[in-house]
Amino acid sequence: KAGVTQTPRYLIKTRGQQVTLSCSPISGHRSVSWYQQTPGQGLQFLFEYFSETQRNKGNFPGRFSGRQFSNSRSEMNVSTLELGDSALYLCASSWPGQGGYGTKNIQYFGAGTRLSVL
Amino acid sequence: DQQVKQNSPSLSVQEGRISILNCDYTNSMFDYFLWYKKYPAEGPTFLISISSIKDKNEDGRFTVFLNKSAKHLSLHIVPSQPGDSAVYFCAASGTQANAGGTSYGKLTFGQGTILTVHP
């Protein structure tokens, strides 16, 4: 079974531009969560989508947005990029729809998109 | 406010010995805990998890212990192997009811511990 796929793997943008990152979850998974990893702040939760609905949102400015499509694929968008947005952006999928307590909580991560803002 | 803390930035262990990685949390609403392993430039890989109704979960060389009264969990790796060298993150989640439905998908991570296993 294919894992979580994120594209592109690397991206270089300049301040003020916008960027869209893509995530394809594991087949059958319906929940997609996004995280930002930076050296200073570690791994921080951005948002979670399930069945095309945002179910949870982290403490990030409105420049960070996302969406999920009917096939569970997800995109996140960052507008008006700032230098501090340089980070590894990780997508994780979960909810295989079977199993006992806690199975829903196991998230499987993609390799990430490394975004550099110049 | 760091709700999940890994107080040891690094740990060095000899091959064949036990590695013990520790994690503390402050939020009583967390009810599920996970350990991930991460190599540079890769996403975290799930290792093992435990729900708050248990105090121990074992999977091969990996065992996770949960002490709810102390809000502490630990990961034991026995025996340690050089291939275990990586950054280890503990993470916690809790059920959260929001306008969009019940959320299970927010993980709160610790800062990570770099494990080095020497041959």
Side-chain angles (χ1 to χ4, degrees), chain A residues 3 6 11 19-21 31 40 47 57 93 103-104 109 114:
Chain A
Q6 290 188 247
L11 210 46
V19 67
T20 299
L21 311 181
S31 173
F47 24 66
K57 190 176 190 305
S93 75
T103 302
K104 295 183 282 292
F109 285 81
R114 170 71 63 183

Side-chain angles (χ1 to χ4, degrees), chain B residues 23-83:
Chain B
C23 180
D24 297 297
Y25 63 96
T26 57
N27 190 337
S28 320
M29 301 304 292
F30 288 145
D31 59 7
Y32 199 69
F33 304 88
L34 308 91
W35 284 93
Y36 286 87
K37 172 181 175 180
K38 188 178 184 302
Y39 296 112
E42 293 184 12
T45 300
F46 170 73
L47 281 174
I48 191 168
S49 61
I50 187 167
S51 73
S52 59
I53 60 173
K54 296 184 177 181
D55 55 19
K56 177 182 173 182
N57 188 26
E58 202 169 345
D59 185 2
R61 297 186 298 115
F62 302 92
T63 303
V64 56
F65 295 91
L66 175 63
N67 182 333
K68 278 201 325 183
S69 60
K71 293 191 175 67
H72 177 83
L73 64 153
S74 61
L75 173 68
H76 292 209
I77 306 173
V78 184
S80 301
Q81 300 172 352

Side-chain angles (χ1 to χ4, degrees), chain A residues 9 33 35 37 40-43 45 48 53-56 88 90 95 101-102 104-111, chain B residues 31-32 34 36 38 41-44 46 49 51-52 89 93 96 98 100-107 109 111:
Chain A
R9 287 295 311 277
S33 297
Y35 296 84
Q37 185 183 25
Q41 298 297 319
L43 275 154
F45 172 78
E48 175 203 3
T53 301
Q54 186 180 87
R55 281 205 169 167
N56 209 337
L88 179 66
L90 293 159
W95 199 287
Y101 180 88
K104 295 183 282 292
N105 306 78
I106 298 175
Q107 296 186 22
Y108 297 90
F109 285 81
Chain B
D31 59 7
Y32 199 69
L34 308 91
Y36 286 87
K38 188 178 184 302
E42 293 184 12
F46 170 73
S49 61
S51 73
S52 59
F89 290 94
S93 72
Q96 188 172 342
N98 297 314
T102 302
S103 168
Y104 304 91
K106 176 182 177 180
L107 292 180
F109 283 86
Q111 291 296 97

Side-chain angles (χ1 to χ4, degrees), chain B residues 8 10-13 17-23 35 63 65 72-78 80 113 115:
Chain B
S8 298
S10 63
L11 175 68
S12 183
V13 172
R17 306 294 291 270
I18 184 172
S19 295
I20 300 176
L21 297 105
N22 294 303
C23 180
W35 284 93
T63 303
F65 295 91
H72 177 83
L73 64 153
S74 61
L75 173 68
H76 292 209
I77 306 173
V78 184
S80 301
T113 297
L115 173 65

